[in-house]
Amino acid sequence: MTVATMTPPVRTLVEFAPLIPELAVVFGAFGLLMLDLFLPERRRIVTHALAIVTLLAAAALIAFGVGGQGTVMEGLFERDTVSDVLKFTILVVSAMAVAYSWSYLRERNLYRGEIVVLMLFAVVGMMLLVSAGNLTMVYLGLELLALCSYALVAIDRDSPLASEAGMKYFVLGSLASGLLLYGMSLVYGATGTLYLEGIREAAATIAGEDRVLLLTGLVFVVVGVAFKFGAAPFHMWLPDTYHGAPTPVTIFIGAAPKLAAFGMAFRLFEGGLGPLQEYWQPLLGALAALSLVIGNVVALAQTNLKRMLAYSTISHVGFLFLGVAAGGQDGFAAAMFYTISYAIMSAAAFGAIVMLSRKGFEADRIEDFRGLNSRSPWMALLVMITMASLAGVPPFLGFWAKLAVLRAAVGADMLWLAIVAIVCAVIGAYYYLRVIKVMYFDEPEGAVVQPREGVMLRTMFSFNALALLALGLFWSPVMTWCLQAFAV
C-alpha cells in the first residue's frame, strides 16, 4: 500500500506582486540597519534621509498601482482600494514624522539609526494590519506595530518621564492585546475559521450556544479595538504616553497608527462581523459618546499642550467612531476621511511643539506660545490654522471631516449621538481657541523663544499646516476617493 504524498504548491514571485510596497519598506529597513553600522555619528543624517526616501518610494509604488491589487498567501493578505488609500496616507504621514524628528533628536543626543528602523518596521506592521484577511495577520500586524512603538516611546532612557510612559504603554498595550486575542479565540471557537470572509459567512447563520460564544468574542474584540484607539473609558494609557514620549515619537504614534487602527476596525467589524452590526453598532455608539464627553471636558483643564492634545485625541476618536458605528459605504467612507484628516492635523499640532522646542526646553505648555505673533507672525498663522482645523472651524479640513461623520450618524438614525457630538465640538472649540488667544493677545513672559530656523523643518511645518487649508478648500476629491474605496 502506498501513501499518497502532497506536493506543496510552487510559488512564484509574480504571486507576491501585491506585497511589493511592504517588501520595499522591509528591505529598506534592513538596509538602513546594516548601513548604520558603518556610518560615523556625524553622517547619521544619511540614514535619516534614506528612511524618508524609502517611505515616499513605497507611497509612490502604491499611488502608481505597482504590483496590482489581489489576495495572496492563501487569503492572509488582501490588497484592495481601502488598504491602498490607508497605506498611502500612513506612508506619507510617517515620512512627515521622520522629517520632524532629525533636529529635535540630534540636539538631545537621542538620534540613533535604530529609531528610523523601528519606525519603518512599525509602518510595515500598519500596512499588514490594514490588508489583513485573516485574524492571524491582524494580530501579527498589530503586535509588530505595538512592539516597535513601545521601544520608541521609551527611547530616551535617561528621562524618568519617558521610561514611565514606555512602561505604562507596554503594560496597558499588552492588556489590550490580550483582550483582543481572547476575543479572537472566542470568535474562532464559534465559527471554526480564522478567515474574515469565513467568519462573516458563519456569523450570518450561526445560532444557539455558538452564537452566544460569538457575541462574547465580539464584546472582547470591541474592547481591544477601543484600547488601541484610545477611546474612553480605555484611554488611561494615552495622555501619559503622549506626554512622556519625545515629541517626534508622539507625532508618529499619534498620527499614523490611528489609520492602521481604523483599517483594523473595518476589517474586523465589516469584513468579519458585519452581520452582527445590530450588536456592535450600539457598543461603538456608547464608546463614541463617552470619548466625546470625557475627552473634551478633561482637555479643558489642561495647561500642558501635549496632554491637552492627548485628551483631544480621545474626543476625535469619538468622532471617528461615529462613522464606524454608522456603517455602510457612507459611514466607513466618512470615518476614513476623518481618520486621514486627523492624522494630518495631529502631525501639525505636535509639529508646532517641535518648532519651538530647544534642548532643555520642550515648549509643551500653552503659555510657551504667549505672544508668538509678535515674534513670528508666519509661525503664529500656521499654528492658528492647525488649531482652527482641529476645532472644526470652516473652511479648514477639520470642519468637513466633522460634517461628514455627523451626516453619516444622522443617516444611520443615530441623531442623539450626532447631537452629543455637536455639543462636545462646541466645548472642544474653547481649548483650541485658547491657544490662538494666547498667541495673539498675550504678552510673552520670561525669555523670548524663537521658532527654529532650519529650512527643512520650517518647510515641513509650513507644508503640513497649509495642507489643512488647501485640503479644506478642495476636500471633495479626498472624500470621493474614500467613497470609491468602499463602493460595492
Side-chain angles (χ1 to χ4, degrees):
M1 182 170 112
T2 60
V3 178
T5 58
M6 294 183 62
T7 304
V10 178
R11 303 295 184 192
T12 64
L13 291 177
V14 176
E15 294 182 55
F16 293 98
L19 276 163
I20 287 176
E22 284 79 5
L23 293 174
V25 180
V26 169
F27 290 140
F30 279 117
L32 291 179
L33 188 61
M34 295 300 296
L35 178 63
D36 187 67
L37 296 174
F38 302 99
L39 285 176
E41 186 71 28
R42 66 181 184 278
R43 299 186 65 186
R44 282 267 164 78
I45 194 173
V46 174
T47 58
H48 189 83
L50 288 177
I52 297 174
V53 170
T54 299
L55 292 168
L56 294 180
L61 291 174
I62 292 173
F64 290 106
V66 176
Q69 297 180 352
T71 302
V72 297
M73 296 191 294
E74 305 294 337
L76 286 172
F77 181 94
E78 179 182 354
R79 181 177 172 185
D80 54 14
T81 307
V82 172
S83 62
D84 276 355
V85 172
L86 291 172
K87 287 178 194 176
F88 178 82
T89 314
I90 286 169
L91 289 162
V92 172
V93 171
S94 298
M96 291 165 56
V98 175
Y100 276 123
S101 66
W102 168 251
S103 299
Y104 181 100
L105 296 175
R106 182 188 57 181
E107 68 184 17
R108 289 163 176 78
N109 297 319
L110 291 177
Y111 189 83
R112 301 289 183 274
E114 293 86 357
I115 291 179
V116 290
V117 172
L118 286 169
M119 287 183 174
L120 289 180
F121 279 122
V123 168
V124 174
M126 290 185 257
M127 295 173 75
L128 294 177
L129 187 56
V130 301
S131 283
N134 183 293
L135 294 180
T136 304
M137 185 61 75
V138 170
Y139 200 71
L140 175 64
L142 182 63
E143 289 308 292
L144 180 56
L145 165 62
L147 291 173
C148 294
S149 299
Y150 301 151
L152 287 168
V153 170
I155 201 71
D156 186 1
R157 293 176 294 179
D158 296 327
S159 169
L161 199 61
S163 300
E164 179 185 356
M167 185 60 69
K168 287 181 179 178
Y169 192 21
F170 173 72
V171 172
L172 295 175
S174 300
L175 174 63
S177 297
L179 291 171
L180 185 61
L181 185 60
Y182 184 61
M184 289 178 178
S185 68
L186 294 180
V187 171
Y188 171 69
T191 61
T193 179
L194 292 171
Y195 288 91
L196 296 177
E197 185 176 349
I199 292 171
R200 184 180 180 88
E201 294 174 358
T205 58
I206 201 168
E209 293 182 356
D210 285 341
R211 187 169 182 84
V212 175
L213 187 63
L214 179 61
L215 293 177
T216 306
L218 169 64
V219 173
F220 278 97
V221 168
V222 170
V223 171
V225 171
F227 253 113
K228 293 302 180 183
F229 268 107
F234 310 106
H235 64 281
M236 61 286 292
W237 61 271
L238 197 146
D240 290 334
T241 301
Y242 279 28
H243 184 204
T247 305
V249 173
T250 305
I251 296 174
F252 179 73
I253 66 172
K258 292 295 183 288
L259 294 155
F262 168 75
M264 176 177 67
F266 170 71
R267 296 296 180 192
L268 290 174
F269 295 136
E270 177 62 19
L273 301 168
L276 303 179
Q277 183 174 354
E278 62 180 303
Y279 297 99
W280 55 256
Q281 184 183 58
L283 290 175
L284 292 180
L287 290 171
L290 279 173
S291 300
L292 287 164
V293 174
I294 292 175
N296 282 300
V297 170
V298 179
L300 290 173
Q302 303 304 311
T303 58
N304 183 282
L305 185 57
K306 288 177 76 173
R307 295 187 73 86
M308 187 202 84
L309 291 172
Y311 281 105
S312 79
T313 295
I314 299 167
S315 71
H316 285 288
V317 169
F319 275 104
L320 195 157
F321 273 11
L322 255 68
V324 177
Q329 179 186 12
D330 291 340
F332 282 111
M336 177 188 279
F337 180 55
Y338 197 95
T339 311
I340 292 171
S341 302
Y342 175 72
I344 301 171
M345 292 187 293
S346 176
F350 288 106
I353 299 175
V354 172
M355 288 296 298
L356 287 181
S357 295
R358 296 289 186 277
K359 185 175 183 180
F361 176 72
E362 289 302 313
D364 59 356
R365 298 176 301 168
I366 295 176
E367 64 185 39
D368 293 331
F369 286 73
R370 286 180 182 271
L372 181 60
N373 182 58
S374 62
R375 308 194 304 268
S376 177
W378 178 246
M379 176 71 180
L381 175 64
L382 296 177
V383 177
M384 183 194 71
I385 291 173
T386 302
M387 294 299 157
S389 185
L390 285 166
V393 176
F396 302 108
L397 181 60
F399 170 77
W400 302 108
K402 284 183 170 65
L403 182 63
V405 294
L406 288 171
R407 289 180 60 184
V410 172
D413 296 326
M414 301 172 72
L415 180 61
W416 69 273
L417 191 54
I419 293 173
V420 170
I422 292 171
V423 173
C424 290
V426 174
I427 296 173
Y430 169 78
Y431 53 80
Y432 292 122
L433 296 178
R434 182 174 60 180
V435 178
I436 298 174
K437 176 258 183 186
V438 163
M439 291 190 303
Y440 282 90
F441 299 104
D442 289 3
E443 293 297 326
E445 296 180 357
V448 176
V449 180
Q450 296 292 338
R452 291 179 179 273
E453 296 297 332
V455 175
M456 184 179 117
L457 194 57
R458 291 176 70 91
T459 303
M460 180 72 257
F461 182 64
S462 299
F463 169 80
N464 194 173
L466 292 176
L468 302 177
L469 175 59
L471 293 175
L473 296 174
F474 303 99
W475 61 274
S476 184
V478 182
M479 189 64 200
T480 302
W481 194 27
C482 294
L483 284 168
Q484 290 174 347
F486 296 99
V488 178

